[in-house]
Amino acid sequence: MLVVMDQKATPAQIDAVVAAIEARGFTARPIPGGQRVAIGVLHNHGHVEASPFLGMAGVKEIIPVTKPYKLVSREFQPEDTVIRVGDVAIGNGHLTIIAGPCAIESELQALTIAKHVKQAGAHMFRGGAFKPRTSPYSFQGLGEEGLKILDRVREESGMPVVTEAMDHEVFDLVEEYADIIQIGTRNMQNFSLLRRAGRTEKPIILKRGIAATVDEWLMAAEYIMEAGNPKVILCERGVRTFAHHSRNTLDLSAIPVVQIESHLPIIVDPSHAAGRRNQVIPLSRAAVAVGAHGLMVEVHHQPEAALSDGAQSLYPEQFVELCSQTGPIFATFRPAHP
Ligand code: PEP
Ligand code: MN
């Protein structure tokens, strides 16, 4: 349930409603908005009687919340969330492009790729220091050394950096270095990791689980928000299907569905969906046309020599093409929100 306060409600009236909610054993979560202050009721099991609140001073209306997710829903917050990192924003009416290699392999590799992607128009750099690999024998990432290299990339290029926190063990360390922390597809329902992500100040990119429904994905985002972090960016990266013409199947139909259900920004990772570089530019065009707020793409200056995901990594000149093709599409199909 959502208690919407009158625009002229005083702080004392808001406090009184919060106290009344908490006196019934629920959690009250004030949600300041552009037009109104609303107070979300959380942790209720079942129906909450609206009439006691309707009679309180400063209360305008009570909106029943019909979805299992609350804080992520448009019922709780009608306006789009915009997430800012330094000078870059996601969800603010511009197309945000995040690019870099799958894994940080060396300082020279990372700085070389950063230079290329920045020149082509990327806003943020992404590279993995801790890699979730299917095989324990594959390259697992440089670990802390990779994070230190990301620091250098930020310093040299001025771009904020995105990197993955694979587990609790490394979360604190990743939090120190990253501007945005990625939670990977395999961890989308790692609920204790989601709760930890809810206790950082840093924004989180939450990738869709490889076999997750949109509802499960939004509930995972709800875990992060419920734990206290409102800065969640959703990332569609393809789901497992019977197809073998691509690594996964990019579910672009999820973008408009999520945008109706949630105020959170949503970006698309065409690289892990495709698994092959020749599908990445067409899928990026489609993702932008369907309303994504941003793209997250793998780029390598020598993909043949990449230590992970070389087959799906774009050559720098292909990334230039991707940027120049998607910009005009975004300008034509600006994400329209319901
Ligand atoms: C990655 O981003 O490099 C990665 C492993 O992604 P995902 O979790 O989507 O597989
Ligand atoms: Mn990868």
Side-chain angles (χ1 to χ4, degrees):
M1 191 177 87
L2 194 63
V3 182
V4 181
M5 302 299 292
D6 197 88
Q7 249 180 337
K8 295 195 196 88
T10 64
Q13 289 170 339
I14 294 171
D15 289 348
V17 173
V18 167
I21 293 169
E22 294 193 333
R24 285 166 176 77
F26 311 134
T27 305
R29 187 71 73 89
I31 305 160
Q35 302 298 318
R36 60 171 200 187
V37 171
I39 305 165
V41 179
L42 305 180
H43 299 127
N44 57 299
H45 302 287
H47 176 71
V48 180
E49 193 48 57
S51 47
F53 302 103
L54 261 178
M56 293 185 73
V59 172
K60 187 175 164 220
E61 59 176 329
I62 306 285
I63 301 179
V65 174
T66 51
K67 303 287 167 147
Y69 36 84
K70 298 167 187 259
L71 296 166
V72 307
S73 75
R74 280 216 189 262
E75 287 172 324
F76 262 51
Q77 183 189 308
E79 310 91 24
D80 285 352
T81 286
V82 177
I83 293 173
R84 292 174 208 286
V85 185
D87 295 338
V88 184
I90 302 188
N92 69 340
H94 295 275
L95 179 66
T96 308
I97 299 190
I98 305 170
C102 180
I104 302 295
E105 299 166 5
S106 70
E107 184 167 309
L108 181 64
Q109 173 247 21
L111 290 174
T112 306
I113 297 169
K115 202 166 138 219
H116 283 301
V117 298
K118 175 154 193 197
Q119 220 166 34
H123 306 95
M124 293 192 212
F125 183 82
R126 192 208 77 127
F130 296 93
K131 294 304 307 176
R133 303 305 302 279
T134 302
S135 163
Y137 306 113
S138 303
F139 176 59
Q140 305 286 311
L142 293 180
E144 188 166 4
E145 191 193 336
L147 296 176
K148 290 187 174 144
I149 294 173
L150 283 169
D151 245 358
R152 287 273 298 128
V153 169
R154 181 196 303 103
E155 215 173 86
E156 287 256 323
S157 70
M159 288 186 284
V161 298
V162 181
T163 197
E164 176 165 353
M166 251 173 52
D167 49 43
H168 265 85
E169 213 173 303
V170 300
F171 200 100
D172 290 5
L173 194 61
V174 170
E175 189 180 26
E176 271 176 50
Y177 288 90
D179 294 302
I180 297 185
I181 302 168
Q182 175 177 317
I183 303 264
T185 196
R186 295 155 186 84
N187 271 320
M188 191 206 81
Q189 284 188 317
N190 180 341
F191 298 116
S192 63
L193 191 64
L194 298 177
R195 285 214 168 93
R196 175 65 187 86
R199 294 196 304 272
T200 179
E201 304 266 300
K202 302 276 169 84
I204 303 293
I205 288 181
L206 178 64
K207 289 192 145 195
R208 180 177 179 182
I210 201 156
T213 63
V214 166
D215 276 6
E216 287 164 342
W217 189 17
L218 292 176
M219 288 308 280
E222 185 80 12
Y223 261 88
I224 301 171
M225 290 192 71
E226 192 272 340
N229 187 352
K231 293 179 255 176
V232 182
I233 299 151
L234 299 164
C235 178
E236 163 62 39
R237 49 79 69 205
V239 288
R240 178 67 57 85
T241 67
F242 49 82
H244 40 75
H245 58 273
S246 60
R247 187 175 174 183
N248 292 286
T249 297
L250 185 61
D251 180 13
L252 289 178
S253 68
I255 311 300
V257 172
V258 165
Q259 287 176 337
I260 288 167
E261 295 298 320
S262 177
H263 51 85
L264 294 174
I266 180 163
I267 63 172
V268 169
D269 167 358
S271 306
H272 291 88
R276 299 154 207 209
R277 78 175 63 83
N278 64 0
Q279 297 174 14
V280 171
I281 295 179
L283 290 176
S284 300
R285 290 195 301 256
V288 171
V290 92
H293 299 108
L295 296 169
M296 187 155 80
V297 184
E298 288 188 343
V299 181
H300 200 291
H301 65 310
Q302 290 170 329
E304 317 72 29
L307 297 182
S308 67
D309 286 348
Q312 67 196 33
S313 299
L314 295 182
Y315 289 97
E317 55 276 17
Q318 289 180 304
F319 181 67
V320 172
E321 214 177 301
L322 180 148
C323 292
S324 61
Q325 291 189 18
T326 50
I329 298 174
F330 188 80
T332 310
F333 298 105
R334 289 205 155 226
H337 296 293

